[in-house]
Amino acid sequence: MTRVLELSHITKRFGAVTANEDVSLHLDRGEIVALLGENGAGKTTLMSILFGHYTADEGTVRVEGQELPPGRSRAAIRAGVGMVHQHFALAPNLSVLDNVMTGTEPLWRLRSDRAAGRAKLVALSERFGLRVDPDALVSDLSVGECQRVEILKALYNDARILILDEPTAVLTAQEAESLFATLRQMTENGLSLIFISHKLHEVMSASDRVVVLRRGCVVAERRTSETSREELAELMVGRKVERPARAPAVPGRVLLEAVDLSLHGKGGASLHDVSFRLRAGETLGIIGVSGNGQTTLAGVVSGLYPPSSGSLSVDGRAVTRHTVPDAIAAGIGRIPEDRNAEGSIGDMTTWENAVLERIWSPDFSARGFVRRAAARKATADILARYDVRGASVDGRIRLLSGGNMQKLILGRVLEAGPDILVAAQPSRGLDEGAIAGVHARLLEARGRGAGVLLISEDLDEVIALSDRIRAIVNGRLSPAIPAGRANAQLLGLMMAGDWSAAERIEAETHDAL
Amino acid sequence: MSVLFDILGSVGMWEAVLRIATPLILGTLGVLLCERVGVLNLGIEGIMAFGAMIGWLTVYQGGDLWTGMLAAALGGAAFGFLHALLTVPLGLSQHVTGLGITLFASSFAYYVFRLAVPTASSPPTIDPFQPLSVPVLSEIPFLGPVLFNQTAPTYLAVAFVALIAWGLYRTPLGLAVRMAGENPHALDAQGIDPIWLRIGTIMAGSALMGMGGAFLTLSAFNSFFPTMIQGRGWVCVALVVFASWRPGRALLGALLFALFDAFQLRLQTVVDGVPYQLFLMMPYLLSIVALIIMARRARVPQALMQPYRRGER
């Protein structure tokens, strides 16, 4: 085993905050190391030091035995270190080839050798199975394709060591799987990889070795084959984390009923003849690979789009006006899929974000004026009750971490006491501790008698929270199965469109529901 | 009606188009460079005024015409450096800084002019660039005099269009410039410092603006007076949007505007009973219409007007 990378005794402080303390880490050739830690554990800081974005206060970085000068990304690139950022560093208006070639030639050349660049890019993408059209504009690419471009950028710079910062944060489950297959193939070609993650299942399935970081320190290092998910979870969080267990459901009256809902071309995918019932006090899980119509379904239920045919009734009354304010008035609460784009307005304050959905209610406005004091107080209550950390009532909401923003959104929705809760991908991008908190809240809402429509692509989450589960495939809903009969294999079949087993189970259990 | 055809058919009008377009071409290319690298430069109106003055003054003091052009370019670059310093490393508002530069540079230009020429009641003159007939080509009927009987800076301006188009799309430096205007973080991740690249490019763009101003005193006219820019700088800012940030279309836009202008100038002299101000208005009105049609499909540089700070998103 050749040691390709060695970080020794790295310490980095930002003012009074110590982001990394005496961190040592190594990487051997052909190895995949997972850097595991919760949000804020110092993973990204450490990798930014390695890549020269930050200068360490103490410690050294060696690549293949050579010490890297601190604070120079160019030196890191030359030494063969490539970084794939969590937020893609791509220019949407430029072509793939432009994005990849930027900064790879001497700046003062009179003519850029695009033919050679194209040939090299095509060769790399074939060798590593990263298919992408060199002339496509980046703005036309899917998220998964953008990530391929990011990886190709690093490979184009002749990277032998690749660092991926939370590579799956924005990917669908399928894209993530194919990414890890690609990474494995890359190690066979002699590359060495570090990926940063807080997701236990991908660390367990994709790494050779795990380094656990907590509060800026390395707390453990394990061979992946010799550890378990439970052990890693405990090491990462520093205490035992248990996701809350679900009490048996006490389903009540039908709160939401959809009959033959169809919609074409809104929210990214169509719906075809979707029918389902949601009762009070139960959670209906809708599982499916992204892009199969779940976003559209959530949009229709929460009033964003009117269906082109079919009907929707809330609490026995047919919905005639499909608008968001009407949906909110009818008691439908919404946890949107993309909390930054649809759930919050980054440059507005926490309190404005907290009350915006209900700004016309007499609680928060009177005679055309906002009741700021009442709104601030309500926000302060949410911050306290839902344990939103790092937020101030008057601070910009952009500054919140993903988990805390999700807590705030949950608080905002639940404080309104909705009868129906539409939760779309509620724990996407959150770390273990935050996921447990979100799950507890969703179960609490159900216990209070709300009907929860849970839309997720995480099998564990759906099985843990739902009473009944349907799969969504190409805009159609599968038969419902009780959660007690669900397992990964059956759900996999349902998500793939094979509903024969599910139909049998539904027929058997129909009377019970 | 026949009057209109007479105007449109006259060699004189078409010859004027390229002449009127020259400062617009230079100015538009200047703004285009600045915006492509991610910085709005509303200092152009003042930088053109300063370029016009310093170019004229250099020649008036005995320098030759090209030395005057060079002085205008250097003066433009100096104001560009000031603008870049305030907007790039300091990240100040680009609108406010640009307007400040315009106010400062135009007043400063007049101040220096008054220091140099304290007493004259009518502006003193210099010997400007003379038309340079390209052998053979200028003999072509109609097209010859229209295209190939211009002054040297006009040919230079057209050459700059090709040069900048090549530079932006065919060289590694041009790609880096475009990347700085689209996503400076990506540029930094590849080991190129967006700060210095922005400063340098803004200086180059501002040098072109200065030369555009100097064309007015060294070629189109032969003297300097403080109000001579007359909003040409603002027209350039609009033309860049019209051109969707592409050099070739910038040339087209400048020519189109110049055509409207040349046309209305002649219309003023032949149409009676209409206040001439109405004709003066025409090119601007038509520009707004053209802008509405063209700019809707424009691809704005994504990082335009966003100051870059390391490690911040």
Side-chain angles (χ1 to χ4, degrees):
Chain A
M1 277 283 172
T2 340
R3 188 147 294 191
V4 290
L5 176 70
E6 187 149 28
L7 297 166
S8 330
H9 309 291
I10 301 278
T11 297
K12 173 72 184 172
R13 295 182 198 88
F14 294 102
V17 185
T18 305
N20 289 135
E21 191 166 356
D22 195 28
V23 173
S24 297
L25 174 72
H26 70 271
L27 178 68
D28 293 331
R29 187 177 307 282
E31 198 183 22
I32 300 185
V33 168
L35 190 58
L36 178 71
E38 290 202 290
N39 293 330
K43 302 170 301 216
T44 302
T45 307
L46 185 64
M47 291 302 113
S48 299
I49 289 168
L50 161 58
F51 199 66
H53 285 323
Y54 295 138
T55 313
D57 297 325
E58 286 158 41
T60 56
V61 179
R62 283 173 181 281
V63 177
E64 288 166 348
Q66 296 288 316
E67 188 170 331
L68 281 188
R72 300 251 309 272
S73 19
R74 222 174 160 98
I77 294 172
R78 279 222 194 86
V81 181
M83 182 137 178
V84 176
H85 296 266
Q86 181 183 359
H87 306 278
F88 301 139
L90 296 173
N93 278 343
L94 303 184
S95 74
V96 169
L97 186 60
D98 280 340
N99 271 282
V100 170
M101 287 189 73
T102 299
T104 58
E105 293 175 289
L107 272 188
W108 297 103
R109 266 165 76 162
L110 289 182
R111 192 190 169 121
S112 167
D113 194 347
R114 298 182 60 86
R118 179 187 305 271
K120 184 171 176 185
L121 178 63
V122 168
L124 281 171
S125 77
E126 274 167 15
R127 189 170 146 210
F128 293 100
L130 296 158
R131 282 222 339 261
V132 67
D133 172 11
D135 297 310
L137 283 183
V138 166
S139 56
D140 294 335
L141 301 184
S142 72
V143 178
E145 288 173 308
C146 285
Q147 185 160 50
R148 265 179 246 162
V149 177
E150 278 281 279
I151 295 174
L152 282 167
K153 249 166 76 176
L155 295 174
Y156 191 96
N157 281 321
D158 301 319
R160 294 180 301 280
I161 299 165
L162 209 56
I163 294 154
L164 300 109
D165 188 1
E166 306 210 4
T168 60
V170 289
L171 299 186
T172 63
Q174 271 189 334
E175 285 172 326
E177 221 163 276
S178 96
L179 170 72
F180 284 118
T182 308
L183 296 186
R184 186 51 73 184
Q185 195 188 339
M186 290 163 88
T187 60
E188 281 157 19
N189 275 295
L191 268 80
S192 320
L193 306 171
I194 296 180
F195 76 90
I196 298 178
S197 179
H198 57 242
K199 293 182 190 164
L200 296 167
H201 66 92
E202 66 186 36
V203 168
M204 288 302 294
S205 67
S207 68
D208 299 314
R209 194 152 55 84
V210 189
V211 174
V212 185
L213 216 57
R214 188 169 78 225
R215 291 190 193 150
C217 305
V218 173
V219 291
E221 190 185 327
R222 298 278 187 277
R223 299 222 70 85
T224 311
S225 52
E226 294 161 8
T227 183
S228 68
R229 237 178 118 137
E230 291 69 31
E231 186 193 20
L232 288 179
E234 199 174 332
L235 285 169
M236 173 170 77
V237 184
R239 63 189 148 83
K240 254 195 148 47
V241 184
E242 275 174 40
R243 293 193 182 177
R246 172 171 51 98
V250 197
R253 63 187 198 285
V254 174
L255 280 179
L256 181 68
E257 179 162 23
V259 181
D260 294 336
L261 281 182
S262 292
L263 176 59
H264 304 285
K266 289 275 171 61
S270 303
L271 291 180
H272 305 285
D273 301 326
V274 165
S275 303
F276 65 90
R277 283 178 177 174
L278 177 67
R279 292 174 181 277
E282 75 158 353
T283 300
L284 173 62
I286 309 270
I287 188 148
V289 176
S290 277
N292 272 297
Q294 53 271 73
T295 309
T296 317
L297 179 60
V300 171
V301 173
S302 50
L304 278 173
Y305 333 110
S308 38
S309 66
S311 69
L312 192 69
S313 45
V314 174
D315 210 2
R317 280 189 300 277
V319 177
T320 49
R321 299 205 308 173
H322 294 272
T323 69
V324 174
D326 284 312
I328 292 172
I332 297 175
R334 177 178 77 118
I335 297 169
E337 183 176 329
D338 184 339
R339 54 184 158 267
N340 294 310
E342 295 170 42
S344 62
I345 303 168
D347 283 322
M348 286 174 73
T349 63
T350 308
W351 73 264
E352 285 166 328
N353 273 286
V355 302
L356 198 52
E357 266 188 356
R358 292 192 292 145
I359 196 71
W360 294 112
S361 98
D363 292 348
F364 301 124
S365 61
R367 297 182 203 89
F369 289 93
V370 176
R371 298 178 59 191
R372 299 166 71 103
R376 280 213 181 80
K377 171 149 191 333
T379 307
D381 287 347
I382 292 175
L383 296 187
R385 209 169 303 153
Y386 291 80
D387 189 29
V388 183
R389 291 183 204 170
S392 71
V393 171
D394 292 301
R396 285 187 305 158
I397 199 168
R398 184 187 293 286
L399 305 172
L400 291 187
S401 72
N404 283 309
M405 191 182 288
Q406 193 71 328
K407 285 185 203 164
L408 179 78
I409 290 172
L410 264 169
R412 163 176 92 185
V413 170
L414 295 178
E415 284 301 292
D419 295 326
I420 297 165
L421 184 58
V422 182
Q425 320 290 358
S427 54
R428 184 180 271 178
L430 305 186
D431 58 37
E432 278 300 311
I435 291 173
V438 168
H439 284 188
R441 292 296 181 181
L442 292 178
L443 289 173
E444 204 179 292
R446 163 180 168 274
R448 188 171 54 70
V452 180
L453 186 65
L454 171 69
I455 293 170
S456 176
E457 54 178 356
D458 183 336
L459 290 175
D460 296 342
E461 176 170 84
V462 169
I463 293 175
L465 295 182
S466 314
D467 300 302
R468 291 183 301 139
I469 302 173
R470 290 174 185 270
I472 188 162
V473 184
N474 285 328
R476 295 177 198 280
L477 274 189
S478 76
I481 61 163
R485 304 283 292 265
N487 57 48
Q489 199 189 356
L490 176 59
L491 291 180
L493 278 175
M494 286 166 66
M495 286 160 74
D498 181 348
W499 296 348
S500 49
E503 265 158 22
R504 236 179 12 254
I505 294 173
E506 189 186 46
E508 280 171 33
T509 54
H510 199 70
D511 300 331
L513 294 170
Chain B
M1 216 48 200
S2 70
V3 176
L4 292 185
F5 285 116
D6 283 350
I7 295 174
L8 286 173
S10 74
V11 170
M13 191 200 84
W14 291 99
E15 203 179 355
V17 169
L18 211 51
R19 185 176 66 239
I20 295 172
T22 302
L24 299 177
I25 295 169
L26 289 167
T28 307
L29 287 176
V31 177
L32 187 142
L33 276 183
C34 295
E35 295 195 5
R36 265 303 171 104
V37 86
V39 178
L40 179 73
N41 191 349
L42 293 183
I44 178 171
E45 186 79 8
I47 292 174
M48 283 180 89
F50 187 79
M53 187 282 298
I54 200 74
W56 175 86
L57 187 64
T58 307
V59 177
Y60 181 67
Q61 300 287 358
D64 72 15
L65 287 163
W66 287 110
T67 314
M69 269 291 168
L70 184 69
L74 291 177
F79 276 105
F81 183 64
L82 180 62
H83 183 65
L85 221 53
L86 294 172
T87 55
V88 180
L90 296 179
L92 301 184
S93 156
Q94 299 178 5
H95 289 104
V96 176
T97 308
L99 292 175
I101 297 271
T102 280
L103 293 173
F104 172 51
S106 20
S107 317
F108 188 64
Y110 189 49
Y111 172 70
V112 173
F113 175 71
R114 270 297 159 218
L115 284 185
V117 190
T119 51
S121 54
S122 69
T125 58
I126 53 148
D127 289 330
F129 281 103
Q130 294 304 311
L132 203 67
S133 296
V134 181
V136 187
L137 288 178
S138 58
E139 308 292 319
I140 304 170
F142 196 76
L143 276 186
V146 169
L147 296 179
F148 302 106
N149 196 28
Q150 301 286 345
T151 59
T154 298
Y155 300 127
L156 186 69
V158 177
F160 268 127
V161 175
L163 203 70
I164 286 173
W166 176 275
L168 277 178
Y169 292 101
R170 298 291 166 85
T171 68
L173 182 65
L175 179 56
V177 165
R178 286 186 290 144
M179 187 58 91
E182 297 285 349
N183 187 346
H185 298 277
L187 196 63
D188 206 4
Q190 291 284 66
I192 298 174
D193 187 350
I195 302 281
W196 282 109
L197 189 66
R198 281 186 167 178
I199 292 175
T201 310
I202 294 167
M203 287 175 69
S206 304
L208 288 174
M209 297 172 190
M211 290 170 72
F215 178 84
L216 294 174
T217 46
L218 301 184
S219 182
F221 309 104
N222 55 9
S223 58
F224 174 81
F225 45 99
T227 58
M228 71 189 310
I229 306 300
Q230 281 187 323
R232 283 182 178 85
W234 309 135
V235 171
C236 292
V237 175
L239 282 176
V240 170
V241 182
F242 173 85
S244 306
W245 291 269
R246 304 177 85 94
R249 288 198 205 162
L251 173 65
L252 190 78
L255 289 174
L256 202 63
F257 184 88
L259 173 65
F260 296 152
D261 206 19
F263 185 61
Q264 67 84 14
L265 276 173
R266 278 154 188 81
L267 218 50
Q268 281 181 35
T269 59
V270 293
V271 180
D272 285 326
V274 181
Y276 75 95
Q277 287 90 344
L278 205 69
F279 294 112
L280 270 179
M281 218 165 67
M282 202 179 71
Y284 301 94
L285 220 59
L286 288 172
S287 304
I288 290 172
V289 173
L291 199 60
I292 290 169
I293 297 166
M294 293 292 291
R296 292 200 307 184
R297 285 173 294 132
R299 281 187 183 277
V300 189
Q302 293 290 298
L304 181 59
M305 292 191 278
Q306 289 176 10
Y308 175 72
R309 292 190 191 90
R310 259 196 152 184
E312 213 179 80
R313 292 205 160 258

